[in-house]
Amino acid sequence: MTGKSLQDARRDYGTINRSSADNAEPVEENRRRLHRELSARQVQMIAIAGTIGTGTGRSLAQGGPASILICYGIIGFIVYVTLLLLGEMATQYPIAGSFNTYATRFVSPSYGFALSWNYWFNDAVSVASDLTAAQLVLEYWTDWHPWVISLLFWVFLVAVNSAHVRAYGELEYWLSSLKVLTVVVFIILGILVNVGVNEDHRYIGSSNWRIPGAPFVGGFGGFAKVFVTASFAYGGTESLGITAGETKNPSKNMPKVVKFVFWRILLFYILSVFLIGLNVPWDYPNLSNKTTTTSPFTIVFQYAGSKVAASFMNTVILSSVLSAGNHALFAGSRVLYGLSVTVPPQAPKIFSWTTRQGVPIPALMLTSSISILCFGSSFIGSGQLWGWLQNIVGVSNQIAWLSIGLASWRFRKAWIYQGRSLDELKFRPAWTWPWGPPFVVITVTALILIQGWSSIIPTFSVVDFFSLYIEIPVMVVMYSAWLSFRRRNCTKTAAETEASTKAPWSDIVDMKTVDLTTDEYVEHQVEDAEAERQTILRRLYYWFA
């Protein structure tokens, strides 16, 4: 590697420890990579980007006000612990691919392969889901040719993601800031509407919790359904780890982001769904049906007696949906890029190509192509299609959280087995030791099994069951396929050869010998100095920004 390319690499990635540097293949001088250009404030807002305004109406209609409040609270706590576990690994190893790479490294290469492709498909389907949701939001104003609207939004998302990552980050920051401000207004307005500042000048209180069917609509089956919708709504928070590969000074910024951003999400969610359950009856017309759906956020603004305000809220929800699609497209393209640069590569090398601005265009185009699913709304109805896509994405999110728990569990065991000091960890959420990883694994597994209850009882629904559980057999098939491929085509170490002889159906990583040095991030002195110069006011800015 020439002096110039080494300087460029350090500028983009920071200093990386490489235990196998002597045996590493030479790197081409003109090799292009992802750039570390996302700031802490941008990453914080990116995590919030898709979490406002999607799924709450369907949850309320299916499970009622009590179910939505309890389920969102349960999922919120699980995701919070999951984020802490992910932050611990992402701060130590801020690399492209994030938890997919950690699963490959600490659990099993074949499992990591299956998980990575599953999560890439999750992001790609999320784009289709968000484009379909955009159709539903626009039906508040017009029902004009939904497929044309989807096409226009698709072009917009691809154009944004083709620009420099800083442009993407800045756009997400301001869109998310608008949503955060709007949710604050919604919380205030929701309280006022509930106490009587509404069109009917009527005190609502908890009356919607006492109407027929409430507060638990559909019994246990309705309650279980909300878990999937809540998982869809919280989805994307785990992609914080994916942004680590393009975050400035990740050892300083990632812990800050992980510790602060989720409390904001949790605050917005719990207060928002509580006020929605108080103000909007679960049987409100068109809250969720086959052809359309109405956002409860917009309904509350309507109750306040302002059509203009309701239209503004619907506009914010539309921006939220597009922002979520924008982020899903970004994350999916980075996951595919990460698959192509692993050793051995788990995707064609063409997907590792980037522009001079660090944008992986081939990965971006393949990810965006899956969005063609959204055009199916013209045949089966936007509401029905969105429900199916939401199920697929929700379960995929749960598989991702489960895998983060598994990877963290084995990472921590490997760290201890190899005699590494806990003080060497750049970020260690001490209160999650040692129960955090097993808690995530057990609770998420239970969620995956329980939430399909309504698709079986009282009547078996093939479509619902398929959309809820199709990813599990797909994961098994992909795991087996990659395991078989590696057995036949990849060069193995002596340890891997011995392991394959003992268990030919598995390639579980040995925690006593797994590499804990490669890809560890070491801060620059310049970055440390910059961090020290941050004032109290700037830290407050990061909290409120």
Side-chain angles (χ1 to χ4, degrees):
M1 181 182 290
T2 66
K4 179 180 178 181
S5 61
L6 179 59
Q7 183 180 8
D8 291 342
R10 284 178 173 168
R11 182 189 65 227
D12 292 341
Y13 280 86
T15 303
I16 304 292
N17 288 335
R18 295 284 181 182
S19 61
S20 57
D22 295 337
N23 299 322
E25 295 181 4
V27 179
E28 298 176 11
E29 181 175 354
N30 62 351
R31 181 181 177 184
R32 297 169 182 169
R33 304 178 180 179
L34 302 180
H35 294 176
R36 291 194 184 278
E37 299 289 352
L38 294 177
S39 65
R41 67 179 178 87
Q42 291 172 335
V43 175
Q44 287 172 352
M45 282 300 179
I46 285 172
I48 298 177
T51 61
I52 299 170
T54 55
T56 48
R58 185 170 182 242
S59 296
L60 182 60
Q62 290 180 336
S67 294
I68 188 175
L69 182 62
I70 295 172
C71 290
Y72 273 64
I74 292 173
I75 296 294
F77 182 71
I78 292 173
V79 173
Y80 176 52
V81 176
T82 304
L83 273 181
L84 291 173
L85 304 182
L86 177 60
E88 185 176 72
M89 294 184 290
T91 303
Q92 201 73 20
Y93 307 104
I95 51 180
S98 183
F99 58 87
N100 303 305
T101 305
Y102 305 144
T104 298
R105 185 169 185 168
F106 301 117
V107 181
S108 155
S110 298
Y111 183 81
F113 171 82
L115 174 66
S116 297
W117 278 104
N118 174 76
Y119 196 73
W120 170 79
F121 184 70
N122 165 46
D123 284 325
V125 171
S126 292
V127 180
S129 175
D130 291 323
L131 290 175
T132 305
Q135 298 174 15
L136 296 171
V137 173
L138 282 169
E139 286 178 5
Y140 180 79
W141 297 296
T142 179
D143 58 357
W144 180 78
H145 300 305
W147 68 269
V148 176
I149 295 171
S150 292
L151 180 61
L152 293 175
F153 285 149
W154 179 86
V155 172
F156 170 75
L157 294 181
V158 172
V160 169
N161 278 269
S162 298
H164 196 285
V165 67
R166 281 180 295 184
Y168 158 82
E170 203 62 27
L171 175 64
E172 284 298 292
Y173 174 78
W174 289 109
L175 285 177
S176 298
S177 297
L178 172 64
K179 287 177 286 185
V180 169
L181 178 62
T182 304
V183 168
V184 172
V185 174
F186 169 80
I187 290 173
I188 297 172
L189 185 64
I191 295 173
L192 294 175
V193 167
N194 187 261
V195 298
V197 185
N198 51 59
E199 286 183 307
D200 300 329
H201 305 289
R202 177 177 65 91
Y203 175 75
I204 299 175
S206 60
S207 60
N208 287 322
W209 283 56
R210 298 190 299 272
I211 62 177
F216 292 97
V217 176
F220 182 77
F223 179 81
K225 280 183 179 180
V226 179
F227 279 124
V228 184
T229 311
S231 298
F232 171 84
Y234 277 103
T237 51
E238 73 284 342
S239 60
L240 275 175
I242 294 174
T243 62
E246 295 172 84
T247 301
K248 296 177 181 178
N249 194 7
S251 64
K252 297 292 184 183
N253 288 331
M254 290 306 295
K256 185 188 307 179
V257 170
V258 169
K259 286 187 291 186
F260 289 154
V261 74
F262 186 73
W263 284 111
R264 283 182 262 178
I265 294 175
L266 188 62
L267 175 67
F268 293 143
Y269 262 128
I270 298 304
L271 274 180
S272 294
V273 298
F274 178 63
L275 289 171
I276 285 171
L278 286 178
N279 292 317
V280 182
W282 70 268
D283 56 355
Y284 186 90
N286 294 330
L287 195 60
S288 180
N289 59 40
K290 182 175 180 179
T291 59
T292 186
T293 184
T294 304
S295 170
F297 287 87
T298 303
I299 294 171
V300 171
F301 273 76
Q302 287 178 336
Y303 282 168
S306 174
K307 292 289 185 181
V308 174
S311 290
F312 171 75
M313 187 66 208
N314 216 51
T315 302
V316 173
I317 293 172
L318 179 61
S319 72
S320 176
V321 168
L322 293 178
S323 177
N326 188 31
H327 178 53
L329 189 54
F330 171 86
S333 61
R334 269 54 181 184
V335 169
L336 188 53
Y337 170 88
L339 283 166
S340 67
V341 298
T342 58
V343 180
Q346 297 179 344
K349 277 293 185 181
I350 182 63
F351 297 117
S352 65
W353 185 89
T354 67
T355 64
R356 293 186 183 278
Q357 289 74 37
V359 179
I361 293 295
L364 172 65
M365 297 312 298
L366 181 61
T367 304
S368 64
S369 67
I370 304 299
S371 306
I372 195 172
L373 288 172
C374 71
F375 298 116
S377 62
S378 300
F379 305 100
I380 61 176
S382 298
Q384 182 71 71
L385 176 63
W386 188 56
W388 293 345
L389 295 177
Q390 199 177 52
N391 286 345
I392 293 173
V393 174
V395 175
S396 181
N397 289 335
Q398 292 169 347
I399 292 174
W401 303 337
L402 171 66
S403 302
I404 291 170
L406 281 174
S408 175
W409 202 342
R410 294 183 60 81
F411 162 68
R412 289 180 171 187
K413 285 184 176 294
W415 197 268
I416 294 172
Y417 282 169
Q418 296 188 27
R420 297 286 296 269
S421 170
L422 297 183
D423 294 333
E424 295 181 67
L425 293 172
K426 295 176 175 60
F427 171 57
R428 182 169 69 94
W431 67 276
T432 66
W433 282 69
W435 63 270
F439 167 78
V440 170
V441 171
I442 294 171
T443 54
V444 175
T445 301
L447 286 178
I448 294 174
L449 296 176
I450 291 172
Q451 65 198 10
W453 178 277
S454 60
S455 66
I456 302 173
I457 298 174
T459 57
F460 181 70
S461 171
V462 176
V463 174
D464 288 344
F465 185 85
F466 181 85
S467 64
L468 285 169
Y469 291 112
I470 182 59
E471 292 189 70
I472 296 177
V474 169
M475 284 275 293
V476 173
V477 170
M478 296 188 73
Y479 173 91
S480 302
W482 185 250
L483 179 63
S484 176
F485 173 81
R486 291 187 77 244
R487 295 280 188 232
R488 293 196 307 266
N489 299 285
C490 297
T491 303
K492 306 182 186 67
T493 64
E496 289 176 327
T497 302
E498 182 181 356
S500 64
T501 303
K502 293 180 179 179
W505 46 268
S506 173
D507 59 352
I508 300 296
V509 174
D510 186 351
M511 292 181 290
K512 296 180 181 179
T513 59
V514 64
D515 180 11
L516 295 177
T517 304
T518 300
D519 296 322
E520 278 193 276
Y521 189 83
V522 179
E523 302 92 332
H524 286 183
Q525 292 182 354
V526 175
E527 291 173 338
D528 290 338
E530 181 181 352
E532 290 298 326
R533 286 196 298 268
Q534 287 188 351
T535 63
I536 295 177
L537 289 177
R538 186 170 182 180
R539 291 176 184 176
L540 289 174
Y541 166 77
Y542 276 128
W543 171 254
F544 289 107

